[in-house]
Amino acid sequence: MTQISIDGTEFETVAGDRLIDAINHAGVHLSQVCYHPQLGPIQTCDTCIVEVNGELVRACASTVAPGMKVSTIVPEAKAARTEAFDRILRNHELYCTVCDNNNGNCTVHNTTKLLRVEHQHYPFQAKPYEVDSSNPFYRYDPNQCILCGRCVEACQDLQVNETLSIRWEDPHPRVLWDGGAPIGQSSCVSCGHCITVCPCNALMEKSMLGHAGFMTGMSKPVLDGMIDVVKGLEAETGYPAIMKVSEVEAAMRDTRVRRTKTVCTYCGVGCSFDIWTKDRHILKVEPAEGPANGVSTCIKGKFAWDFVNSPDRLTKPLIREGDRFREAEWDEALDLIARRFTEIKKLHGPDALAFIASSKCTNEEAYLMQKLARGVVGTNNIDNCSRYCQSPATAGLFRTVGYGGDSGSIADIEQADLVLIVGSNTAESHPVLATRVKRAHKLHGQKLIVADIREHEMARRADLFMHTRPSTDLVWLSAVSRYILDQGLAHTEFLNQWVNNLEEYRKSLEPFTLDFAAKTCGISVDTLKQVAGMIAKAERVCVLWAMGITQHSNGSDSSTAISNLLLVTGNYMRPGTGAYPLRGHNNVQGASDHGAMPNMLPGYQSADDPEVRARFESGWGVGLPSTKGLDNHEMVEAIHEGKLRSMYLCGEEMSIVDSNANFVAEAFQKLDFFVVQDIFFSATCRFADVVLPASPSLEKEGTFTSTERRVQRLHQVFEPLEGSRPDWVIIQDVAKRLGACWKYRNPSEIMVEIAALTPMFAGVSYTRLEGYKSLQWPVAANGNDQPLLYTKGFHFPDGKAHLFPLAWHEAPEQPDSQFDLHLNNGRLLEHFHEGNLTYRSPGIHAKTPDTFVEVSLELARERGIESGSLVQLTSRRGRVRVRALVTDRVQNGQLYMPMNSTERPVNLLTGSHVDPVTHTPAYKETAVQMQVLEPHGESPLPRINHRFGHPTPQKGVEVERKWKQPGYRFPGNGLIQIDTAQVQTK
Ligand code: SF4
Ligand code: SF4
Ligand code: SF4
Ligand code: FES
């Protein structure tokens, strides 16, 4: 801490902090148009000039030093700021009253007011460019663009998509996409960072245009006429009077525009943001202070919300009659469910029923679903879709460190010196989390190693990319661990103090020599040594993994191998270290945390443990079953065997996301009674006897838990669409009809019960989660949470971690002479999973209308395939016809098929072989043959898809180039500013 003087008053602040932050904290109002705390100093606008120790400097680019004397009020500084802002207004037409950005938070508007601008010194000059509306979600108006560079900075260095730049040398600079392409044909991934940080209306969401203001919906000629009138008035009245009018209009908007905080419903990163709505129209998604994401979003969180108001939404319960469904009233549907569940239970016992909770639903809803199964029906047959992806990671962590969750936060991943990504297409599956790695790698020297069978974006960015043979990660991970131990590079002190079972583990490593790993994994010994050296040398290492590890027949063991490696190198218990299995769905972590598992009550309390059961029995006032329940995989088998007769499935597209989809569909046809609860008539609904219309996240209260164990509240944005109901209401109605006396009036009461029965959530409450507040479990009764999971030891009785010995076996399904190709599958950035939600966004549909199969250049040459060829893929289970996309992302005989299709789901091909520990299907171990049906056809990916763009990487906005332009002068002292000593400190 140090003292500085600002305008004659002493303030205590932190030496080395940005001066602008200190000034802001002190409550001094200083203009600052290009500065954004999450982007750092950009230094393009010059509106923050202050005097420091007698010299004019930019406050955003200066750092606090002891004894500094700062003046914001000396006339020279004031004049410099006014001059700088005048130059900005040359690039921007002020027509606030009829502008959709006039919502109280427009930086240009607010700065005009702050600087008490009366008249423009430099008249507005239109730029010789058209408005670009070629992106489906946003438009750029060069005439309103003040060239602050915030968007460029965000795209280049925060999102790190590297699409935007400004060519300062141009006679009329503007923002450029891919150096000058139309936005819609550029590499822009529509993440929305640029729009979010734009300080004016130059970049705007199309959903705002004509909708936000009272007078902004007018036709262009009328609007232009209004703008002319306003400009005419300015000459006479000056800006203050005009500003007053626009502020009255902005205040009126508050009466009909609602801003509600919610949490993204797509992936497990846990982005949160305000949703701006007018009635049921979504004006925009505005991220600002989300603990996981700040101003960041990806295309889905920012733009993919059309599904909420889709005309396809279910609004009436449906009851099967023969081959058809008829609409029914809620009472009739619920009565039928209660009657059939009761009959089946009476006839076949409670274990003839099974329940599946949704990882798209809230924690409270997952909790109620397992309470319904256990406490009302009397079965432990309850599971959720983490069985399909994350259970092996959880098992690997349970074995080694004790808790099944990420060992730190996204902030830890950012801080790491080295990030190792194994089997995760992070840039597409966890986009905002990936931006943090890309930024740290680009700006802060973070090293990146990627191991994958496919060369995705993170692989291309990596310092070292290992193109491994499928299903062999356990081998190289164990070999690297062994090499580190053998070479004396292990963290001995950490092992001695915190880890058990070293000797047995070392013995188990015997087969894992570098030579064996090289032969098995297809990686050279030198590369493996290099990887071991980099990991051992790095001070802080984080490992990120996902379905490329878990969806294998050795998914649990490979996850364990990752954790073993982290233990050997001492990469736990410190900021910037740890294990990060990246959770797929928004609440897949929470669904398991809250007991939607056949063997665990909420908070990972064993259903086997009489003491635990007794606590829940007394809390719920019922007896609980003690026999282990069935997981998803076992449920399908049990239906085929005639043991399971009925199922209640909530928000899960199981008929096509489970592996071996034909086998699953056959099972569903055998059920005596099947209830599916969803917001659309999904592919799974086809097999239902009753379909219940539920409400999506925007229509309810509740909490989600993201990949970093972060519990966050979602606040209700809309009333449930008429006819639909929130899942917690429906589950409660079913329970009541089955005799339970549940009386929850809102989800907060469910959370009170969860906290009372679950030590891990003892301190979780809606008050502690109000607004943007969040908690990372475990949460003590006093509300203390644990962003870093292990600080005082591991989650075992003696506080020590456990090195877990492993063996390796070849994957059971390998390409052979009949099925000669390896088929991989996974997500795409712009679609979520099978696409039930994202296909309902017309913009996404236009850019990515269908699934495809990626074919390598070599294979395409060999078989005469081109992008657009229609091929048939056949596995031992089924076949799909799909168009080919020829790409160098895959190599040789390896294919990749995105999972975004309900008509051609990849799971018609995948098999029922599983990871024996968790029964997670080995989705990534599928052998297929490929037949060319039509050699020519239209490419499945249109040219407007971002993958065809050409990014223009550079560091930030390169403001030094602006300063070098002959026309540029640093406001205030008349000197040309070419001093780059105060280069950005980010
Ligand atoms: S990728 Fe596109 S939407 Fe995202 S910041 Fe860059 S230009 Fe903007
Ligand atoms: S478009 Fe970019 S450069 Fe132009 S005003 Fe907006 S953020 Fe600034
Ligand atoms: S999909 Fe994931 S990364 Fe994208 S906005 Fe939602 S939570 Fe964030
Ligand atoms: S805020 Fe723009 S130069 Fe400092």
Side-chain angles (χ1 to χ4, degrees):
M1 301 302 288
T2 188
Q3 295 270 331
I4 61 170
S5 138
I6 304 176
D7 298 338
T9 308
E10 292 291 311
F11 289 96
E12 191 165 70
T13 182
V14 180
D17 267 8
R18 289 178 199 141
L19 176 58
I20 201 160
D21 290 340
I23 293 172
N24 292 340
H25 287 148
V28 175
H29 296 294
L30 179 70
S31 52
Q32 45 198 285
V33 173
C34 73
Y35 180 65
H36 189 295
Q38 289 176 50
L39 300 174
I42 301 173
Q43 304 187 77
T44 50
C45 78
D46 295 335
T47 60
C48 66
I49 291 172
V50 293
E51 190 190 79
V52 173
N53 303 339
E55 267 187 75
L56 293 183
V57 296
R58 298 183 185 95
C60 65
S62 307
T63 46
V64 168
M68 225 176 193
K69 294 217 173 322
V70 182
S71 172
T72 69
I73 49 180
V74 290
E76 292 80 2
K78 277 180 155 181
R81 295 199 296 269
T82 303
E83 161 70 12
F85 192 64
D86 247 330
R87 293 179 190 173
I88 283 175
L89 290 183
R90 186 163 45 191
N91 280 310
H92 186 90
E93 210 166 9
L94 281 174
Y95 50 75
C96 309
T97 313
V98 290
C99 172
D100 284 299
N101 204 43
N102 181 37
N103 302 298
N105 63 344
C106 175
T107 307
V108 173
H109 176 103
N110 295 344
T111 309
T112 310
K113 205 173 140 197
L114 178 70
L115 294 177
R116 297 199 175 90
V117 178
E118 295 273 342
H119 293 286
Q120 266 177 253
H121 181 65
Y122 305 113
F124 167 70
Q125 275 179 357
K127 300 183 191 74
Y129 311 110
E130 295 296 311
V131 172
D132 188 338
S133 296
S134 59
N135 180 287
F137 306 107
Y138 69 97
R139 69 99 181 92
Y140 171 61
D141 183 349
N143 277 332
Q144 293 299 96
C145 174
I146 60 170
L147 299 168
C148 69
R150 277 193 192 185
C151 58
V152 178
E153 201 76 16
C155 185
Q156 286 286 344
D157 289 355
L158 182 57
Q159 152 71 13
V160 199
N161 205 57
E162 301 173 319
T163 299
L164 294 185
S165 61
I166 295 175
R167 204 180 297 123
W168 295 108
E169 298 76 11
D170 280 353
H172 301 282
R174 53 159 282 172
V175 176
L176 299 169
W177 277 251
D178 285 3
I183 304 174
Q185 289 166 34
S186 72
S187 60
C188 169
V189 290
S190 304
C191 64
H193 281 76
C194 53
I195 314 148
T196 297
V197 299
C198 181
C200 61
N201 63 341
L203 279 165
M204 284 200 75
E205 299 84 355
K206 287 184 174 173
S207 48
M208 282 284 278
L209 297 175
H211 292 286
F214 283 85
M215 290 183 279
T216 56
M218 293 174 290
S219 66
K220 179 129 180 24
V222 180
L223 202 65
D224 287 347
M226 291 279 291
I227 294 169
D228 287 343
V229 171
V230 174
K231 297 303 279 186
L233 282 176
E234 185 241 310
E236 263 191 38
T237 64
Y239 278 126
I242 298 173
M243 291 279 146
K244 281 221 168 63
V245 177
S246 65
E247 271 156 30
V248 170
E249 200 266 353
M252 279 163 60
R253 294 184 189 190
D254 280 347
T255 60
R256 62 174 193 177
V257 175
R258 286 186 68 215
R259 304 175 191 191
T260 316
K261 181 250 177 171
T262 192
V263 182
C264 182
T265 195
Y266 286 105
C267 89
V269 173
C271 299
S272 53
F273 28 71
D274 279 3
I275 298 223
W276 291 29
T277 52
K278 194 175 82 178
D279 304 320
R280 278 194 78 93
H281 176 73
I282 296 176
L283 287 163
K284 69 166 165 174
V285 163
E286 176 93 340
E289 46 177 317
N293 60 309
V295 294
S296 297
T297 43
C298 76
I299 179 172
K300 301 182 290 295
K302 179 79 179 171
F303 294 116
W305 294 94
D306 301 80
F307 74 88
V308 176
N309 287 320
S310 161
D312 306 342
R313 280 279 303 276
L314 291 170
T315 52
K316 279 266 187 190
L318 301 174
I319 292 178
R320 174 180 292 280
E321 276 185 353
D323 287 342
R324 310 175 73 90
F325 286 91
R326 69 166 169 83
E327 290 188 345
E329 296 306 319
W330 273 99
D331 278 340
E332 185 192 1
L334 293 169
D335 286 345
L336 175 63
I337 292 168
R339 179 167 62 77
R340 293 294 286 128
F341 280 179
T342 309
E343 284 168 5
I344 290 166
K345 180 174 163 182
K346 211 165 157 191
L347 211 60
H348 304 286
D351 289 338
L353 288 97
F355 297 78
I356 294 190
S358 173
S359 45
K360 282 262 160 281
C361 287
T362 62
N363 289 324
E364 293 76 0
E365 289 163 342
Y367 175 85
L368 287 194
M369 200 65 175
Q370 60 87 39
K371 184 174 175 180
L372 171 68
R374 296 184 159 114
V376 181
V377 174
T379 178
N380 277 319
N381 292 344
I382 167 84
D383 207 1
N384 75 89
C385 78
S386 70
R387 188 71 44 201
Y388 300 141
C389 58
Q390 284 302 327
S391 296
T394 305
L397 293 176
F398 273 148
R399 283 169 168 179
T400 50
V401 283
Y403 274 127
D406 285 10
S407 40
S409 306
I410 296 170
D412 288 293
I413 300 172
E414 263 176 281
Q415 281 175 52
D417 300 293
L418 186 151
V419 168
L420 168 62
I421 300 180
V422 197
S424 159
N425 179 6
T426 323
E428 302 208 49
S429 302
H430 299 87
V432 166
L433 191 146
T435 65
R436 303 320 194 234
V437 178
K438 293 195 283 183
R439 178 176 167 90
H441 184 249
K442 181 173 181 180
L443 300 183
H444 304 310
Q446 183 178 75
K447 293 278 177 256
L448 177 62
I449 301 178
V450 171
D452 211 289
I453 63 170
R454 184 164 169 266
E455 199 174 331
H456 49 60
E457 181 185 341
M458 299 311 276
R460 291 194 174 160
R461 289 183 178 273
D463 299 289
L464 196 154
F465 169 49
M466 286 190 281
H467 186 261
T468 45
R469 247 191 78 221
S471 310
T472 62
D473 291 297
L474 185 153
V475 177
W476 73 260
L477 285 160
S478 299
V480 164
S481 293
R482 177 183 157 161
Y483 180 76
I484 286 173
L485 281 164
D486 289 353
Q487 297 298 309
L489 300 170
H491 198 314
T492 318
E493 209 182 307
F494 181 84
L495 286 169
N496 290 343
Q497 190 178 354
W498 293 113
V499 185
N500 287 325
N501 210 32
L502 176 61
E503 279 323 303
E504 205 189 320
Y505 173 64
R506 278 198 89 145
K507 262 188 243 143
S508 76
L509 289 178
E510 232 159 75
F512 296 105
T513 61
L514 290 185
D515 284 335
F516 174 65
K519 207 167 99 226
T520 311
C521 310
I523 306 294
S524 74
V525 167
D526 281 348
T527 302
L528 291 169
K529 281 185 183 168
Q530 199 186 340
V531 169
M534 285 170 78
I535 294 173
K537 201 174 117 206
E539 186 64 25
R540 297 165 298 180
V541 178
C542 289
V543 184
L544 281 43
W545 74 101
M547 298 187 292
I549 283 282
T550 57
Q551 291 181 338
H552 287 272
S553 51
N554 57 15
S556 294
D557 285 353
S558 300
S559 301
T560 309
I562 291 172
S563 192
N564 282 340
L565 174 61
L566 286 165
L567 287 171
V568 165
T569 50
N571 277 300
Y572 273 114
M573 296 180 75
R574 287 177 293 124
T577 65
Y580 298 83
L582 304 179
R583 309 300 183 173
H585 282 271
N586 56 317
N587 201 35
V588 69
Q589 179 74 49
S592 295
D593 294 348
H594 289 80
M597 296 174 89
N599 56 343
M600 301 280 190
L601 280 150
Y604 301 100
Q605 304 181 81
S606 174
D608 256 358
D609 184 335
E611 226 179 278
V612 170
R613 270 205 316 279
R615 179 153 24 94
F616 279 89
E617 283 171 344
S618 119
W620 293 350
V622 291
L624 290 179
S626 56
T627 46
K628 188 199 156 293
L630 302 173
D631 58 42
N632 292 3
H633 177 75
E634 292 167 329
M635 286 176 196
V636 174
E637 300 278 350
I639 301 171
H640 277 293
E641 289 162 14
K643 293 181 192 152
L644 191 66
R645 317 297 291 240
S646 180
M647 197 180 238
Y648 180 4
L649 181 147
C650 172
E652 168 74 63
E653 186 58 299
M654 188 166 164
S655 72
I656 53 171
V657 303
D658 197 350
S659 64
N660 200 354
N662 286 328
F663 184 68
V664 178
E666 283 161 25
F668 285 164
Q669 281 163 353
K670 292 182 182 168
L671 281 168
D672 291 350
F673 187 65
F674 188 20
V675 179
V676 178
Q677 186 166 307
D678 213 314
I679 59 173
F680 296 113
F681 191 86
S682 64
T684 308
C685 289
R686 290 173 300 167
F687 305 100
D689 294 288
V690 177
V691 177
L692 298 174
S695 309
S697 63
L698 294 194
E699 295 175 1
K700 57 194 176 191
E701 296 281 326
T703 57
F704 289 154
T705 304
S706 66
T707 191
E708 46 177 1
R709 295 171 284 106
R710 190 183 294 283
V711 188
Q712 304 187 87
R713 259 184 88 175
L714 37 145
H715 297 257
Q716 187 176 335
V717 177
F718 298 128
E719 285 300 315
L721 190 67
E722 201 177 336
S724 71
R725 292 182 181 175
D727 296 82
W728 68 270
V729 173
I730 307 173
I731 300 165
Q732 170 158 254
D733 283 343
V734 171
K736 279 177 167 172
R737 276 179 165 76
L738 290 170
C741 55
W742 295 3
K743 291 188 186 117
Y744 307 109
R745 286 165 303 177
N746 56 59
S748 70
E749 295 181 354
I750 306 170
M751 187 50 87
V752 170
E753 182 177 312
I754 295 170
L757 292 170
T758 317
M760 203 162 118
F761 303 125
V764 176
S765 73
Y766 273 33
T767 320
R768 290 196 173 118
L769 295 172
E770 188 64 40
Y772 281 88
K773 288 191 271 181
S774 68
L775 294 163
Q776 286 172 276
W777 64 249
V779 185
N782 64 4
N784 285 348
D785 68 345
Q786 277 180 231
L788 193 62
L789 189 52
Y790 306 110
T791 49
K792 299 190 183 90
F794 291 94
H795 192 53
F796 287 114
D798 64 357
K800 287 192 171 190
H802 184 87
L803 280 165
F804 193 95
L806 298 166
W808 181 74
H809 309 282
E810 277 282 4
E813 178 156 314
Q814 300 278 350
D816 56 20
S817 54
Q818 194 188 355
F819 299 99
D820 56 335
L821 302 170
H822 178 273
L823 177 67
N824 186 10
N825 66 82
R827 295 210 169 107
L828 277 191
L829 169 71
E830 55 273 54
H831 279 293
F832 196 80
H833 228 288
E834 77 295 322
N836 277 347
L837 306 184
T838 44
Y839 273 118
R840 289 183 162 89
S841 171
I844 292 180
H845 195 281
K847 290 228 166 217
T848 315
D850 205 349
T851 190
F852 46 82
V853 61
E854 288 187 350
V855 176
S856 70
L857 302 174
E858 309 85 60
L859 193 64
R861 246 191 322 269
E862 187 190 307
R863 309 242 174 135
I865 292 171
E866 59 187 33
S867 288
S869 300
L870 183 68
V871 299
Q872 176 166 284
L873 302 177
T874 310
S875 77
R876 291 181 175 85
R877 274 75 49 180
R879 60 173 63 102
V880 294
R881 290 175 175 198
V882 64
R883 301 241 167 231
L885 185 76
V886 178
T887 168
D888 58 0
R889 284 187 287 270
V890 289
Q891 291 185 0
N892 302 318
Q894 292 178 358
L895 307 171
Y896 179 83
M897 200 174 148
M899 52 173 81
N900 50 293
S901 177
T902 46
E903 293 89 33
R904 284 170 286 283
V906 67
N907 289 317
L908 290 171
L909 303 169
T910 53
S912 292
H913 48 301
V914 293
D915 169 41
V917 182
T918 58
H919 292 168
T920 296
Y923 292 90
K924 306 287 196 270
E925 293 172 0
T926 305
V928 294
Q929 53 179 247
M930 180 168 62
Q931 218 185 322
V932 182
L933 302 179
E934 290 169 15
H936 312 292
E938 203 178 318
S939 170
L941 213 50
R943 298 302 297 180
I944 56 167
N945 187 278
H946 69 266
R947 290 171 184 80
F948 293 109
H950 300 282
T952 48
Q954 60 180 49
K955 282 231 173 107
V957 74
E958 297 188 345
V959 67
E960 293 85 351
R961 284 167 48 207
K962 171 180 173 167
W963 296 337
K964 281 185 189 148
Q965 297 314 304
Y968 176 77
R969 294 153 69 88
F970 182 66
N973 63 6
L975 294 174
I976 294 172
Q977 167 88 17
I978 48 168
D979 173 16
T980 52
Q982 297 171 351
V983 183
Q984 307 172 31
T985 47
K986 293 184 196 160

